[in-house]
Structure formats: structure tokens, C-alpha cells
Amino acid sequence: MMSEKEAGQSGGSPQVGGATVSDIQELIRRKEEIEAQIKANYEVLESQKGIGMNEPLVDCEGYPRSDVDLYQVRTARHNIVCLQNDHKAVMKQARDMAEAQKEAMNCGLGQNEGLSPLQAFAKVNSISPGSPASIAGLQVDDEIVEFGSVNTQNFQSLQNIGSVVQHSEGKPLTVTVIRRGEKHQLRLVPTRWAGKGLLGCNIIPLQR
């Protein structure tokens, strides 16, 4: 379950478009922590004659069952309900953060288009045939302005991209690139394939 500190943090006013890679990593950490606790509580139920969330705790004559630890079962069931609610809250926060980030990015792109060229922070310098990057439509010399939650404003190093890729295996990422002066939005799914890594392309940072 969330600590008071975490609950306080999540209860603050959301920063529209202000989500950083570390914010997203923290959400992922909390999500994984909650999922691990839910699993541990289900294992408690499994250890009590495989009893689940809904099986009756009284026998056919209406007496409390003597073959299971009623206190442990009730506690585990209560914990699971609370943790599932926490899990829903974290997932909603992640969705809200992603939406705000996307909205802010689109707004920024719209403003920049009429004023100055979009600023890319990295460039694709090689792609392996048949790789996830190739399937997504990435091309050599594409200049990246958005890679999932990473954009020009919060990009610090290629580790930012690496972290997003590791946490997004099997999940689609929105990648926005500039190709021959035109903006293209691609859907890239980091996946294990015959080659190395989850993308099958090499990305280099651009000097700013």
C-alpha cells in the first residue's frame, strides 16, 4: 500500500506536461511494488487450502472453518482490495501524466512550427533490417524530437531513452521524428527479436 508520503506526493497538483523520466520511473517502481504485494497476499490465500477472494469462511453448518487461519485470510483479502485500489490510482496517474505530456508536446510542436524548426535531440545512424525499429518505419538520419516520454526539454543522455525502452518492452511508444524537414509520428514497440537489444537501431545524441 502507498505510504503517507507517497499518497501526499500523488495528491499534489499535476504538472501539465512537466512529467520527467524520473517521475515516470517512480510511478513504474510504485506499480511494481504494489503488484509484488498483491502477489504476496494471493500466496497467503493459496497457502490456506487454496482459498480465494470469495470462498465462504464458514462450513455447511454455518460455523467458522477450522481448517484455515481466518485472521490471515481476512487480512490478506483486505490487503488485496486496498492494494488493487492503489494500483488503479497509480495507473490513472500514469495515464494522466502521459496525456498531459502528449498535450504539452503537441502544443509545443504547434507553436514551434510557425516560428522555428523543431529541435531534435538525437539522430538514428543505423537500422538493422527486420528489427522493431525497421518495422516501425524509422529510417537512417531521422532526427528524434520525441521518444515516448523523452523530449528536447528533459533529454539529458541516451540513458533516458534506454530506460524508457527497458520499461516499455512489448508496449507501443510514440516516436516523433523530423525527416527531410517534415514531422513524422511513428509507433515503435520495443521487442526481443533475432538481433541485439529491443530496437535494432543505433541512436546518437545531437550536439546542441
Side-chain angles (χ1 to χ4, degrees):
M1 290 173 67
M2 286 191 208
S3 68
E4 286 178 10
K5 185 181 174 188
E6 287 177 324
Q9 286 171 343
S10 64
S13 57
Q15 284 184 294
V16 178
T20 63
V21 173
S22 61
D23 290 333
I24 290 162
Q25 286 174 335
E26 172 64 13
L27 268 186
I28 290 166
R29 186 193 67 74
R30 275 163 53 190
K31 172 180 165 288
E32 288 173 350
E33 200 175 88
I34 291 167
E35 286 170 353
Q37 289 179 31
I38 289 173
K39 183 171 180 285
N41 279 282
Y42 269 116
E43 283 171 359
V44 170
L45 294 183
E46 188 62 34
S47 72
Q48 296 295 318
K49 306 284 185 185
I51 199 164
M53 290 293 288
N54 302 310
E55 282 79 4
L57 298 182
V58 293
D59 59 23
C60 56
E61 295 178 0
Y63 292 106
R65 287 176 58 171
S66 57
D67 59 332
V68 295
D69 185 325
L70 297 180
Y71 176 77
Q72 267 202 336
V73 171
R74 287 196 181 106
T75 302
R77 284 179 173 181
H78 173 75
N79 288 346
I80 288 168
V81 171
C82 293
L83 287 162
Q84 284 173 339
N85 288 335
D86 286 349
H87 191 267
K88 281 179 196 167
V90 168
M91 295 305 287
K92 181 180 185 303
Q93 196 180 347
R95 281 194 299 274
D96 291 348
M97 199 182 279
E99 282 301 314
Q101 185 82 355
K102 193 173 176 184
E103 201 174 298
M105 188 65 190
N106 287 343
C107 180
L109 291 176
Q111 289 169 351
N112 287 338
E113 278 170 354
L115 301 170
S116 60
L118 294 172
Q119 190 179 12
F121 58 83
K123 179 179 175 181
V124 179
N125 74 341
S126 71
I127 293 182
S128 303
S131 66
S134 174
I135 291 165
L138 269 177
Q139 296 181 14
V140 171
D141 291 335
D142 278 353
E143 295 191 346
I144 300 169
V145 295
E146 179 188 31
F147 194 102
S149 59
V150 182
N151 56 41
T152 308
Q153 281 73 39
N154 62 27
F155 175 76
Q156 292 173 329
S157 72
L158 290 178
Q159 285 182 334
N160 299 145
I161 291 178
S163 176
V164 169
V165 169
Q166 289 300 320
H167 287 299
S168 303
E169 185 176 345
K171 299 169 192 166
L173 286 172
T174 298
V175 179
T176 307
V177 301
I178 301 299
R179 182 181 300 159
R180 292 185 287 279
E182 291 183 0
K183 185 180 81 169
H184 295 267
Q185 202 168 66
L186 308 172
R187 184 174 175 275
L188 172 62
V189 182
T191 317
R192 296 189 185 280
W193 63 294
K196 285 167 63 178
L198 299 174
L199 299 181
C201 69
N202 194 47
I203 296 170
I204 55 172
L206 287 174
Q207 298 300 319
R208 286 195 252 172

